[in-house]
mmCIF file of all heavy atoms in Angstrom:
data_model
loop_
_atom_site.group_PDB
_atom_site.id
_atom_site.type_symbol
_atom_site.label_atom_id
_atom_site.label_comp_id
_atom_site.label_asym_id
_atom_site.label_seq_id
_atom_site.Cartn_x
_atom_site.Cartn_y
_atom_site.Cartn_z
ATOM 1 N N SER A 1 -73.941 170.608 148.153
ATOM 2 C CA SER A 1 -72.979 169.911 147.326
ATOM 3 C C SER A 1 -73.103 168.465 147.357
ATOM 4 O O SER A 1 -73.811 167.948 148.277
ATOM 5 C CB SER A 1 -71.513 170.360 147.800
ATOM 6 O OG SER A 1 -71.328 169.981 149.106
ATOM 7 N N LEU A 2 -72.571 167.801 146.497
ATOM 8 C CA LEU A 2 -72.794 166.268 146.287
ATOM 9 C C LEU A 2 -71.543 165.529 146.634
ATOM 10 O O LEU A 2 -70.479 165.961 146.446
ATOM 11 C CB LEU A 2 -73.297 165.980 144.893
ATOM 12 C CG LEU A 2 -74.548 166.735 144.432
ATOM 13 C CD1 LEU A 2 -74.787 166.325 142.960
ATOM 14 C CD2 LEU A 2 -75.766 166.346 145.308
ATOM 15 N N SER A 3 -71.793 164.285 147.064
ATOM 16 C CA SER A 3 -70.730 163.324 147.198
ATOM 17 C C SER A 3 -71.243 161.967 147.059
ATOM 18 O O SER A 3 -72.469 161.693 147.078
ATOM 19 C CB SER A 3 -69.978 163.523 148.606
ATOM 20 O OG SER A 3 -70.977 163.317 149.716
ATOM 21 N N ASP A 4 -70.290 160.958 146.920
ATOM 22 C CA ASP A 4 -70.659 159.469 146.784
ATOM 23 C C ASP A 4 -71.072 158.859 148.095
ATOM 24 O O ASP A 4 -71.819 157.931 148.141
ATOM 25 C CB ASP A 4 -69.561 158.697 146.131
ATOM 26 C CG ASP A 4 -69.408 159.112 144.644
ATOM 27 O OD1 ASP A 4 -70.401 159.144 143.961
ATOM 28 O OD2 ASP A 4 -68.235 159.202 144.127
ATOM 29 N N ALA A 5 -70.451 159.476 149.191
ATOM 30 C CA ALA A 5 -70.683 158.849 150.565
ATOM 31 C C ALA A 5 -70.988 159.981 151.563
ATOM 32 O O ALA A 5 -70.581 161.127 151.313
ATOM 33 C CB ALA A 5 -69.394 158.063 150.993
ATOM 34 N N VAL A 6 -71.576 159.554 152.593
ATOM 35 C CA VAL A 6 -71.838 160.543 153.727
ATOM 36 C C VAL A 6 -70.501 160.785 154.375
ATOM 37 O O VAL A 6 -69.786 159.914 154.901
ATOM 38 C CB VAL A 6 -72.863 159.934 154.719
ATOM 39 C CG1 VAL A 6 -73.005 160.873 155.944
ATOM 40 C CG2 VAL A 6 -74.228 159.692 154.074
ATOM 41 N N PRO A 7 -70.187 162.129 154.530
ATOM 42 C CA PRO A 7 -68.795 162.485 155.028
ATOM 43 C C PRO A 7 -68.743 162.659 156.563
ATOM 44 O O PRO A 7 -67.850 163.234 157.048
ATOM 45 C CB PRO A 7 -68.419 163.692 154.309
ATOM 46 C CG PRO A 7 -69.738 164.406 154.089
ATOM 47 C CD PRO A 7 -70.759 163.288 153.793
ATOM 48 N N PHE A 8 -69.789 162.164 157.221
ATOM 49 C CA PHE A 8 -69.891 162.269 158.723
ATOM 50 C C PHE A 8 -70.059 160.968 159.290
ATOM 51 O O PHE A 8 -70.805 160.073 158.788
ATOM 52 C CB PHE A 8 -71.104 163.177 159.140
ATOM 53 C CG PHE A 8 -71.068 164.562 158.595
ATOM 54 C CD1 PHE A 8 -71.886 164.966 157.531
ATOM 55 C CD2 PHE A 8 -70.285 165.528 159.274
ATOM 56 C CE1 PHE A 8 -71.836 166.225 157.012
ATOM 57 C CE2 PHE A 8 -70.283 166.828 158.759
ATOM 58 C CZ PHE A 8 -70.973 167.191 157.632
ATOM 59 N N GLY A 9 -69.428 160.692 160.441
ATOM 60 C CA GLY A 9 -69.544 159.464 161.108
ATOM 61 C C GLY A 9 -70.751 159.239 161.954
ATOM 62 O O GLY A 9 -71.159 158.149 162.348
ATOM 63 N N ARG A 10 -71.355 160.368 162.403
ATOM 64 C CA ARG A 10 -72.493 160.259 163.353
ATOM 65 C C ARG A 10 -73.261 161.565 163.308
ATOM 66 O O ARG A 10 -72.987 162.564 162.641
ATOM 67 C CB ARG A 10 -71.952 160.054 164.707
ATOM 68 C CG ARG A 10 -71.097 161.072 165.454
ATOM 69 C CD ARG A 10 -70.395 160.631 166.637
ATOM 70 N NE ARG A 10 -69.448 161.529 167.138
ATOM 71 C CZ ARG A 10 -69.617 162.203 168.300
ATOM 72 N NH1 ARG A 10 -70.747 162.061 169.008
ATOM 73 N NH2 ARG A 10 -68.669 163.029 168.725
ATOM 74 N N LEU A 11 -74.332 161.627 164.116
ATOM 75 C CA LEU A 11 -75.156 162.804 164.260
ATOM 76 C C LEU A 11 -74.862 163.469 165.630
ATOM 77 O O LEU A 11 -74.789 162.801 166.618
ATOM 78 C CB LEU A 11 -76.622 162.432 164.175
ATOM 79 C CG LEU A 11 -77.663 163.542 164.539
ATOM 80 C CD1 LEU A 11 -77.644 164.617 163.468
ATOM 81 C CD2 LEU A 11 -79.073 162.921 164.719
ATOM 82 N N ARG A 12 -74.666 164.770 165.526
ATOM 83 C CA ARG A 12 -74.555 165.501 166.874
ATOM 84 C C ARG A 12 -75.437 166.823 166.783
ATOM 85 O O ARG A 12 -75.401 167.519 165.736
ATOM 86 C CB ARG A 12 -73.014 165.958 167.032
ATOM 87 C CG ARG A 12 -72.070 164.813 167.106
ATOM 88 C CD ARG A 12 -70.700 165.330 167.514
ATOM 89 N NE ARG A 12 -70.232 166.353 166.578
ATOM 90 C CZ ARG A 12 -69.209 167.109 166.821
ATOM 91 N NH1 ARG A 12 -68.496 167.062 168.003
ATOM 92 N NH2 ARG A 12 -68.705 167.950 165.900
ATOM 93 N N VAL A 13 -76.076 167.039 167.839
ATOM 94 C CA VAL A 13 -76.866 168.299 167.988
ATOM 95 C C VAL A 13 -76.481 168.906 169.324
ATOM 96 O O VAL A 13 -76.796 168.338 170.357
ATOM 97 C CB VAL A 13 -78.370 168.120 167.856
ATOM 98 C CG1 VAL A 13 -79.128 169.433 167.949
ATOM 99 C CG2 VAL A 13 -78.810 167.319 166.621
ATOM 100 N N ARG A 14 -75.736 169.954 169.208
ATOM 101 C CA ARG A 14 -74.999 170.476 170.411
ATOM 102 C C ARG A 14 -75.451 171.886 170.768
ATOM 103 O O ARG A 14 -75.763 172.716 169.910
ATOM 104 C CB ARG A 14 -73.502 170.469 170.139
ATOM 105 C CG ARG A 14 -72.847 169.230 169.875
ATOM 106 C CD ARG A 14 -71.370 169.334 169.570
ATOM 107 N NE ARG A 14 -70.601 170.073 170.602
ATOM 108 C CZ ARG A 14 -69.514 170.643 170.454
ATOM 109 N NH1 ARG A 14 -68.824 170.605 169.221
ATOM 110 N NH2 ARG A 14 -68.910 171.209 171.531
ATOM 111 N N LEU A 15 -75.520 172.191 172.082
ATOM 112 C CA LEU A 15 -75.816 173.498 172.629
ATOM 113 C C LEU A 15 -74.495 174.162 172.858
ATOM 114 O O LEU A 15 -73.640 173.618 173.598
ATOM 115 C CB LEU A 15 -76.645 173.384 173.926
ATOM 116 C CG LEU A 15 -78.005 172.728 173.791
ATOM 117 C CD1 LEU A 15 -78.730 172.797 175.135
ATOM 118 C CD2 LEU A 15 -78.842 173.270 172.681
ATOM 119 N N LYS A 16 -74.325 175.447 172.485
ATOM 120 C CA LYS A 16 -73.042 176.174 172.709
ATOM 121 C C LYS A 16 -73.435 177.622 173.109
ATOM 122 O O LYS A 16 -74.568 178.072 172.969
ATOM 123 C CB LYS A 16 -72.183 176.088 171.353
ATOM 124 C CG LYS A 16 -71.784 174.790 170.955
ATOM 125 C CD LYS A 16 -70.792 174.897 169.824
ATOM 126 C CE LYS A 16 -69.457 175.488 170.329
ATOM 127 N NZ LYS A 16 -68.469 175.633 169.289
ATOM 128 N N ARG A 17 -72.398 178.304 173.569
ATOM 129 C CA ARG A 17 -72.610 179.734 173.901
ATOM 130 C C ARG A 17 -72.704 180.537 172.614
ATOM 131 O O ARG A 17 -73.387 181.596 172.680
ATOM 132 C CB ARG A 17 -71.416 180.183 174.752
ATOM 133 C CG ARG A 17 -71.376 179.588 176.104
ATOM 134 C CD ARG A 17 -70.185 180.142 176.977
ATOM 135 N NE ARG A 17 -70.164 179.596 178.342
ATOM 136 C CZ ARG A 17 -69.229 179.917 179.214
ATOM 137 N NH1 ARG A 17 -68.305 180.741 178.899
ATOM 138 N NH2 ARG A 17 -69.279 179.303 180.376
ATOM 139 N N GLU A 18 -71.949 180.220 171.591
ATOM 140 C CA GLU A 18 -71.990 180.906 170.321
ATOM 141 C C GLU A 18 -71.944 179.872 169.166
ATOM 142 O O GLU A 18 -71.316 178.822 169.305
ATOM 143 C CB GLU A 18 -70.773 181.832 170.161
ATOM 144 C CG GLU A 18 -70.590 182.895 171.155
ATOM 145 C CD GLU A 18 -69.332 183.699 170.912
ATOM 146 O OE1 GLU A 18 -69.274 184.591 170.088
ATOM 147 O OE2 GLU A 18 -68.356 183.481 171.748
ATOM 148 N N ILE A 19 -72.644 180.211 168.066
ATOM 149 C CA ILE A 19 -72.622 179.179 166.982
ATOM 150 C C ILE A 19 -71.175 179.416 166.199
ATOM 151 O O ILE A 19 -70.912 178.508 165.425
ATOM 152 C CB ILE A 19 -73.821 179.260 166.034
ATOM 153 C CG1 ILE A 19 -74.004 180.782 165.559
ATOM 154 C CG2 ILE A 19 -75.078 178.759 166.677
ATOM 155 C CD1 ILE A 19 -75.074 180.883 164.512
ATOM 156 N N ILE A 20 -70.621 180.580 166.312
ATOM 157 C CA ILE A 20 -69.234 180.731 165.839
ATOM 158 C C ILE A 20 -68.535 181.616 166.915
ATOM 159 O O ILE A 20 -68.975 182.679 167.217
ATOM 160 C CB ILE A 20 -69.167 181.422 164.350
ATOM 161 C CG1 ILE A 20 -67.726 181.532 163.990
ATOM 162 C CG2 ILE A 20 -69.934 182.694 164.349
ATOM 163 C CD1 ILE A 20 -67.062 180.192 163.710
ATOM 164 N N THR A 21 -67.463 181.083 167.427
ATOM 165 C CA THR A 21 -66.854 181.668 168.678
ATOM 166 C C THR A 21 -65.983 182.841 168.341
ATOM 167 O O THR A 21 -64.963 182.676 167.662
ATOM 168 C CB THR A 21 -66.167 180.626 169.447
ATOM 169 O OG1 THR A 21 -66.989 179.509 169.799
ATOM 170 C CG2 THR A 21 -65.577 181.278 170.742
ATOM 171 N N MET A 22 -66.301 184.086 168.831
ATOM 172 C CA MET A 22 -65.457 185.176 168.701
ATOM 173 C C MET A 22 -65.130 185.726 170.030
ATOM 174 O O MET A 22 -64.184 186.407 170.213
ATOM 175 C CB MET A 22 -66.097 186.213 167.822
ATOM 176 C CG MET A 22 -65.275 187.534 167.614
ATOM 177 S SD MET A 22 -66.127 188.856 166.714
ATOM 178 C CE MET A 22 -65.539 188.550 165.072
ATOM 179 N N ARG A 23 -65.968 185.426 171.044
ATOM 180 C CA ARG A 23 -65.811 185.934 172.403
ATOM 181 C C ARG A 23 -65.890 187.483 172.466
ATOM 182 O O ARG A 23 -65.109 188.162 173.126
ATOM 183 C CB ARG A 23 -64.533 185.479 172.985
ATOM 184 C CG ARG A 23 -64.448 183.948 173.171
ATOM 185 C CD ARG A 23 -63.287 183.396 173.928
ATOM 186 N NE ARG A 23 -63.220 181.955 173.845
ATOM 187 C CZ ARG A 23 -62.164 181.320 173.666
ATOM 188 N NH1 ARG A 23 -60.954 181.862 173.429
ATOM 189 N NH2 ARG A 23 -62.270 179.922 173.708
ATOM 190 N N ARG A 24 -66.821 188.019 171.725
ATOM 191 C CA ARG A 24 -67.113 189.429 171.674
ATOM 192 C C ARG A 24 -68.674 189.567 171.944
ATOM 193 O O ARG A 24 -69.415 189.670 171.027
ATOM 194 C CB ARG A 24 -66.722 190.149 170.434
ATOM 195 C CG ARG A 24 -65.215 190.329 170.262
ATOM 196 C CD ARG A 24 -64.638 191.276 171.282
ATOM 197 N NE ARG A 24 -63.285 191.645 171.097
ATOM 198 C CZ ARG A 24 -62.203 190.978 171.407
ATOM 199 N NH1 ARG A 24 -62.312 189.794 172.038
ATOM 200 N NH2 ARG A 24 -60.918 191.408 171.173
ATOM 201 N N PRO A 25 -69.069 189.469 173.170
ATOM 202 C CA PRO A 25 -70.520 189.485 173.485
ATOM 203 C C PRO A 25 -71.258 190.716 173.020
ATOM 204 O O PRO A 25 -72.534 190.599 172.838
ATOM 205 C CB PRO A 25 -70.620 189.268 174.997
ATOM 206 C CG PRO A 25 -69.286 189.752 175.549
ATOM 207 C CD PRO A 25 -68.302 189.389 174.430
ATOM 208 N N ALA A 26 -70.560 191.788 172.751
ATOM 209 C CA ALA A 26 -71.267 193.010 172.273
ATOM 210 C C ALA A 26 -71.730 192.877 170.884
ATOM 211 O O ALA A 26 -72.595 193.544 170.458
ATOM 212 C CB ALA A 26 -70.349 194.264 172.399
ATOM 213 N N ILE A 27 -71.180 191.900 170.142
ATOM 214 C CA ILE A 27 -71.587 191.622 168.696
ATOM 215 C C ILE A 27 -72.829 190.806 168.812
ATOM 216 O O ILE A 27 -72.835 189.664 169.318
ATOM 217 C CB ILE A 27 -70.493 190.867 167.978
ATOM 218 C CG1 ILE A 27 -69.209 191.598 168.088
ATOM 219 C CG2 ILE A 27 -70.920 190.688 166.518
ATOM 220 C CD1 ILE A 27 -68.811 192.579 166.947
#
């Protein structure tokens, strides 16, 4: 999608347990 300005203030590259948290490890 397009915008006139960058809608983020900074760059973050993070390590997490899940990329979307459900807390159902069987999935």
